[in-house]
Amino acid sequence: MKVILGLSGGVDSSVALKILKDEGYDVEAMFMRNWDSATNNDILGNPDIEDDVCPQEKDYQDALRVSEQLGIKLNRIDFIEEYWNTVFKYFLDEYKKGRTPNPDIMCNKYIKFNAFLKHAENLGAEYIAMGHYARVRHDRDKSYLLRGVDSNKDQTYFLCMITQNQLRHALFPIGHLTKPEVRKIAKEANLYTAEKKDSTGICFIGERNFKKFLQNYLPAQPGNMVTLDGKIIGRHDGLMYYTIGQRKGLGIGGSNEFENAAWFVCGKDLNKNELLIGQGHDSEYLISNNCIASECNWITDMPIENKTYQAKFRYRQNDNDVKIKFLDGNKIQVFYPQGIRAVTPGQAVVLYDGEICLGGALIDEVYFNEEKRRY
């Protein structure tokens, strides 16, 4: 059985490759190049943007060393145009709307489990594999996406938009391992990436300043920071730079007019270009108990109305008990009467039935009872 694994140049995919080889698969690796500043800036029509942010060549060299260590062929493929059209344009459009996008979800949907899968099939592969902390159970008629054993690293949240057909052709070789176990395997095998630091943040931004990067592609529109009762207390640099529940970076000093408590982003008014802020981590306005989400994707089985499921509204969040109601237009209303802080438009709500990830939807509107939050 031929399997092609996405080798990123990190320790997780390196160990996944070793496991596949040890298990006797006919395995090849493939390095995806998804971002190129010069090419993307030409597409945008602004070749003067200084934006050399993604160290992909170093990652490719690391991937090449690991594949040579293991004696496995490494293919290299460019998905730059596909990534721009399906992930980065979505990323920019969401910020224009004042939302907080999740490009990793779209990268899995359109690149790793679509463009990559098609290319792998053209190379004769029956399955693709990724170094995600997730598991899959292939039954005769259906495949089920299961949480990774390491609850701190579980990445099923980011896989909520893949399809049954994509999952049917997928393997996750390290999903049954914890991160320390992965590191141990890499060290014992003397893999080149054994001590490599985990990548963080969004690939195409890398280690650079997020605000500076975004300014290259979206014009900033500064405006007023306004308290929930309408008092102007400062200036913001542009609504796109802030997310619901954010504390850092507001630049609000002490004032005799207000209590000595931390300030948080509580909402956005796009029409007035105002950033709504309030005091206290658990500010009443940050709490909601239902939301409406669209673009629903159910990987295996559709959820059932009025049944209690577990949900995550952001990565690494603890499970929350929820119930859902189906709405017209491939939408759901999600109910969580216990109240949850900072449920954010643009992020995904991902549903679980125990260990099984059912899929998810993108959050559009957030409410407390019938009062819509200005998120």
Side-chain angles (χ1 to χ4, degrees), residues 31-160:
F31 181 86
M32 289 173 281
R33 185 166 171 262
N34 297 330
W35 184 263
D36 178 75
S37 296
T39 301
N40 290 334
N41 295 335
D42 286 342
I43 294 172
L44 189 65
N46 190 350
D48 298 324
I49 292 177
E50 295 182 5
D51 183 30
D52 185 16
V53 299
C54 200
Q56 288 189 89
E57 192 57 38
K58 172 67 166 59
D59 289 337
Y60 173 70
Q61 294 301 323
D62 292 346
L64 188 60
R65 290 199 184 197
V66 169
S67 62
E68 288 174 347
Q69 278 185 298
L70 296 173
I72 292 173
K73 178 182 178 181
L74 177 64
N75 304 279
R76 179 169 175 161
I77 183 71
D78 283 357
F79 292 131
I80 294 169
E81 185 173 354
E82 292 91 339
Y83 194 91
W84 176 276
N85 289 328
T86 60
V87 180
F88 192 64
K89 285 176 69 175
Y90 145 83
F91 173 84
L92 295 180
D93 288 345
E94 288 290 275
Y95 273 113
K96 288 177 185 177
K97 298 173 186 175
R99 292 157 58 109
T100 303
N102 199 314
D104 289 335
I105 289 176
M106 295 304 163
C107 182
N108 283 324
K109 177 179 180 178
Y110 292 113
I111 304 300
K112 293 181 180 177
F113 291 86
N114 186 26
F116 183 100
L117 174 59
K118 291 176 181 177
H119 190 73
E121 288 177 335
N122 289 337
L123 294 176
E126 298 175 63
Y127 285 89
I128 61 171
M130 298 290 171
H132 288 77
Y133 287 87
R135 295 175 293 148
V136 60
R137 188 181 81 221
H138 292 300
D139 291 350
R140 173 180 285 185
D141 298 321
K142 291 181 180 179
S143 296
Y144 294 86
L145 180 63
L146 308 177
R147 301 178 195 250
V149 166
D150 189 337
S151 59
N152 188 52
K153 298 294 291 184
D154 171 49
Q155 292 174 294
T156 51
Y157 181 89
F158 299 118
L159 297 168
C160 67

Side-chain angles (χ1 to χ4, degrees), residues 100 102 105 157-158 288-293 309-324 332-352 361-366:
T100 303
N102 199 314
I105 289 176
Y157 181 89
F158 299 118
S288 63
N289 60 15
N290 71 100
C291 69
I292 294 175
Y309 294 100
Q310 299 77 50
K312 294 183 186 296
F313 294 85
R314 63 184 64 208
Y315 179 49
R316 283 184 177 164
Q317 186 182 51
N318 292 331
D319 283 352
N320 301 278
D321 286 344
V322 303
K323 293 183 179 180
I324 70 160
I332 54 173
Q333 189 167 10
V334 186
F335 298 93
Y336 36 99
Q338 72 273 28
I340 298 175
R341 181 184 183 275
V343 174
T344 304
Q347 292 290 291
V349 50
V350 180
L351 264 58
Y352 296 85
L362 301 182
I363 301 164
D364 289 330
E365 299 173 352
V366 181

